[in-house]
Amino acid sequence: MRRRQSPVFWVLVVVLTVVFVAPLLWMMITSFKTIGESQQVPPTLVPQEPTGRAYGEVLTVGGQNPVLRWFLNSLVAASLHAGLVVLVASMAGYALARMEFRFKKPIFVVILATLFVPGFVFLMPNYLLMDKLAWLDTLWALVVPGAAGAFGVFFMRQFFLALPRELEEVAMIDGANAWTVFTRIILPNAKPAIATLTVLSFLANWNDFIWPLYVLFSPERLTLQPGLKLLQGAYTTDYPVIMTGATIASVPVLILYIFVQRYVIEGVARSGIKG
Amino acid sequence: MAVDAVAAPRTRVRRSSGAVRGYGRATPYLFLAPYLVLFLLFVVGPAIFGFWMSLHDWDFQLPGKPWVGLQNYKDLFDPLSTTAEPFWHGMRATAIFTVASVPFLVTLPLGLAVLLNRRFPGRTFFRAVYFAPYVLGVAVVGLMFRYILDTSFGILNAFLGLFGVPEIGWTNDQPWAFVALVGMTVWWTIGFNAVIYLAGLQDIPAEQYEAAALDGANTWQQFRHVTLPGLRPVVAFVVTITVLASANMFGQSVLVTQGGPGDTTRTALMVIADTGLSQFRMGQATAMSYLLAACLAIVSLINFALLRERKS
């Protein structure tokens, strides 16, 4: 395993890299083309007359397709959602990892079991619930229901299980109560897990498609994902505009990903195995 | 929040070894409460209530929602009903997509993980690159591929044309539409499963490989007799979550093929969402979702039984 890698290996790595990067580059290149050039056969690899027209069209404030507004909506919803997930999941995960109580096992088993229930089962009843709560077409529908997912609790529990006991014991002997121990000792030691869960929850919410597609109606309240579908419907053949929308929806998460990829990859890895 | 309530009824400092003490009886429940409220309200409640809905002729927009018992389920098996045909067409599209995509989504990421498990300069960078598409939403991926796959001016056909391949109708011709949907899904999610495999690979003790090498096992034999058995639980997990994800397929079809050509790529979830949330026939739609969920539960159980039995 430690020998030098063969040329074939490196060819494979480079080809794969091209395959993964090319579609994204193509999307960004197209956003700077004219409509005519975007449909040219054969395609041009570099825009012949680069134009920011599509960006102007899409970023106009108060237009039919307020991409900036959708961007802001996505940002607010995903941030609030991630905050809520971290709060409730770390509290619940801590109790399940470190406390003894009567219904611990059944509660954990029921929460865990829902990890394997497909999401579409909740689609319609939760839609009705949104209607009853008057949350349809509001930020609430985007932020709150998703925070009931089992993943965060499971993830935080696994992390807390691995923390050394001595951390809490010393504080408790000093007379600290459970809440103080949790906020002063446990949470500061859980920063990597919290960062990971924040990023994963943010991304999941930012990228959600089917739920916002149905619970949001007003064009100005949409998030980017259903907004892009609206864009596709409105500019059927204007690919520069559509690719501009897609670029605006992807560049921020790609930049975020470059900075936090260690957390994202670790989080995904840990979600699969250490259970 | 409930800081005082948490603090007040302090009892013993420690009872048994290991477990942390120094909190009252109610404390664990208070820590769980915020999550459990959400869990009951948005998971447990809806799961039960959804089943209740499926036993009614539940039209969201009508005041009366008469009890129909299992009629919605029976209708799905009655070729003359209005719900059976679209539902089973959707189930067929979902099944084809699942059967066609899962083998690739289980094996290709494994190959990628084995590749990335080698030591080479830039490994972290390449790992990050291969995972990057997964951080994009399905809407971005869908629109991007809608353009790349366009029959007349898409770059994929232009590229294949360099090798003399005639125009392919990736979005409007079968079986190419399924090839396209599976391909873009592999592109999008391969990194996710690969990372899970990578973590599994790193848990296989190096001594096992050394022992196998001493016994004269070549690379393939080491993979076959050390890597695969060591990964079995991980493979079972990956198969399960991938089947679940494939059965949830929605966005790719909505954005790239619009369910076409005909209704061949209109997946079960598209039919369910359309019946329940566009036509508001929610009783029928929830019956469809519970039947699909039951099918998936059976598939998961079979899959776990198969992958577990071989171990013992």
Side-chain angles (χ1 to χ4, degrees):
Chain A
M1 271 172 114
R2 282 169 212 205
R3 68 199 148 90
R4 283 177 65 90
Q5 306 300 336
S6 67
V8 179
F9 170 87
W10 281 107
V11 168
L12 199 57
V13 166
V14 170
V15 167
L16 280 170
T17 305
V18 171
V19 167
F20 282 104
V21 172
L24 292 167
L25 272 181
W26 192 237
M27 164 183 85
M28 292 171 199
I29 289 170
T30 308
S31 70
F32 294 105
K33 287 184 174 175
T34 61
I35 299 182
E37 196 184 346
S38 74
Q39 304 189 358
Q40 201 171 302
V41 184
T44 49
L45 287 182
V46 179
Q48 301 303 298
E49 314 154 46
T51 166
R53 187 231 10 139
Y55 286 86
E57 193 117 335
V58 149
L59 296 176
T60 312
V61 180
Q64 272 289 303
N65 298 290
V67 173
L68 271 186
R69 186 63 207 260
W70 299 339
F71 183 89
L72 221 61
N73 292 345
S74 285
L75 192 65
V76 171
S79 306
L80 290 175
H81 171 77
L84 183 63
V85 168
V86 166
L87 179 74
V88 300
S90 57
M91 285 175 69
Y94 180 58
L96 289 170
R98 284 304 174 86
M99 296 178 179
E100 296 300 334
F101 51 100
R102 199 159 162 212
F103 297 107
K104 175 167 156 168
K105 194 144 194 211
I107 288 177
F108 181 63
V109 168
V110 171
I111 293 174
L112 198 62
T114 61
L115 265 181
F116 294 95
V117 181
F120 52 74
V121 163
F122 309 102
L123 196 56
M124 258 125 344
N126 266 335
Y127 180 92
L128 282 182
L129 189 56
M130 294 302 104
D131 183 50
K132 280 272 177 284
L133 294 169
W135 282 6
L136 282 177
D137 210 20
T138 71
L139 190 62
W140 295 104
L142 300 177
V143 173
V144 182
F151 173 74
V153 173
F154 177 68
F155 183 81
M156 292 310 294
R157 174 185 173 269
Q158 297 308 100
F159 183 85
F160 291 140
L161 280 177
L163 281 184
R165 296 268 176 203
E166 292 76 29
L167 275 177
E168 292 140 299
E169 281 167 4
V170 169
M172 292 225 170
I173 289 164
D174 289 349
N177 65 48
W179 181 254
T180 312
V181 171
F182 178 66
T183 53
R184 299 277 170 82
I185 313 282
I186 296 300
L187 286 186
N189 277 292
K191 273 182 195 151
I194 289 174
T196 307
L197 186 59
T198 306
V199 172
L200 292 177
S201 316
F202 181 93
L203 281 175
N205 193 272
W206 178 279
N207 288 334
D208 194 10
F209 180 59
I210 183 165
W211 178 248
L213 187 63
Y214 286 104
V215 295
L216 303 174
F217 321 118
S218 318
E220 74 276 10
R221 297 208 174 161
L222 295 186
T223 52
L224 271 169
Q225 308 300 326
L228 289 178
K229 183 174 183 284
L230 197 68
L231 208 59
Q232 187 191 27
Y235 292 87
T236 320
T237 54
D238 190 342
Y239 277 103
V241 161
I242 296 170
M243 291 301 110
T244 301
T247 302
I248 292 171
S250 51
V251 167
V253 283
L254 286 172
I255 291 174
L256 175 73
Y257 170 67
I258 289 168
F259 286 108
V260 299
Q261 44 110 348
R262 190 164 65 89
Y263 293 116
V264 183
I265 290 180
E266 262 176 30
V268 167
R270 203 180 299 157
S271 72
I273 312 302
K274 313 278 196 269
Chain B
M1 247 204 64
V3 180
D4 294 330
V6 172
R10 174 132 40 95
T11 50
R12 324 142 271 221
V13 166
R14 49 191 326 181
R15 188 174 55 190
S16 58
S17 62
V20 172
R21 287 286 144 197
Y23 53 81
R25 244 165 205 246
T27 309
Y29 298 102
L30 290 170
F31 270 84
L32 275 167
Y35 176 73
L36 282 188
V37 168
L38 295 175
F39 183 69
L40 291 174
L41 197 57
F42 298 108
V43 175
V44 178
I48 297 166
F49 187 65
F51 183 65
W52 176 250
M53 287 166 71
S54 75
L55 304 175
H56 294 76
D57 184 6
W58 194 293
D59 187 320
F60 173 58
Q61 293 177 314
L62 289 181
K65 293 160 177 68
W67 168 269
V68 292
L70 293 173
Q71 192 59 46
N72 286 326
Y73 292 91
K74 283 187 196 146
D75 280 349
L76 293 175
F77 295 98
D78 174 7
L80 296 175
S81 78
T82 53
T83 48
E85 195 188 316
F87 176 68
W88 290 109
H89 280 204
M91 288 292 271
R92 189 175 60 193
T94 295
I96 293 174
F97 178 77
T98 306
V99 169
S101 65
V102 168
F104 293 106
L105 291 171
V106 170
T107 56
L108 293 180
L110 179 57
L112 192 62
V114 170
L115 193 77
L116 290 173
N117 201 34
R118 295 179 174 214
R119 288 170 200 205
F120 61 97
R123 180 170 75 162
T124 314
F125 168 78
F126 290 109
R127 216 203 296 192
V129 169
Y130 302 155
F131 190 87
Y134 190 74
V135 306
L136 303 175
V138 71
V140 168
V141 176
L143 294 185
M144 199 160 68
F145 275 90
R146 178 73 194 79
Y147 179 56
I148 289 171
L149 298 168
D150 190 282
T151 307
S152 40
F153 53 80
I155 191 164
L156 183 59
N157 273 351
F159 177 73
L160 293 174
L162 296 178
F163 305 96
V165 179
E167 269 186 7
I168 293 173
W170 295 109
T171 59
N172 50 27
D173 197 10
Q174 287 293 18
W176 304 113
F178 272 117
V179 175
L181 292 172
V182 169
M184 65 180 274
T185 306
V186 168
W187 181 86
W188 180 32
T189 62
I190 190 170
F192 186 86
N193 286 351
V195 165
I196 294 179
Y197 281 131
L198 259 178
L201 286 176
Q202 279 152 16
D203 281 352
I204 299 176
E207 300 87 63
Q208 291 191 13
Y209 287 102
E210 284 158 18
L214 279 179
D215 290 343
N218 62 31
T219 312
W220 166 251
Q221 284 165 333
Q222 288 181 24
F223 177 77
R224 174 77 189 72
H225 296 288
V226 178
T227 310
L228 279 186
L231 279 184
R232 184 146 286 154
V234 183
V235 173
F237 177 79
V238 167
V239 171
T240 305
I241 58 166
T242 308
V243 168
L244 268 180
S246 293
N248 267 294
M249 206 273 254
F250 176 81
Q252 296 98 307
S253 272
V254 167
L255 292 150
V256 177
T257 58
Q258 273 99 37
D263 68 351
T264 48
T265 62
R266 191 164 178 255
T267 60
L269 191 45
M270 283 170 83
V271 177
I272 290 170
D274 190 48
T275 310
L277 297 171
S278 300
Q279 304 170 31
F280 294 115
R281 296 188 294 137
M282 293 182 150
Q284 283 98 323
T286 43
M288 291 175 189
S289 23
Y290 278 75
L291 189 57
L292 176 54
C295 294
L296 285 172
I298 293 168
V299 171
S300 298
L301 288 177
I302 293 174
N303 151 40
F304 261 107
L306 284 179
L307 283 157
R308 195 162 278 180
E309 226 160 66
R310 268 192 248 154
K311 189 182 182 181
S312 55

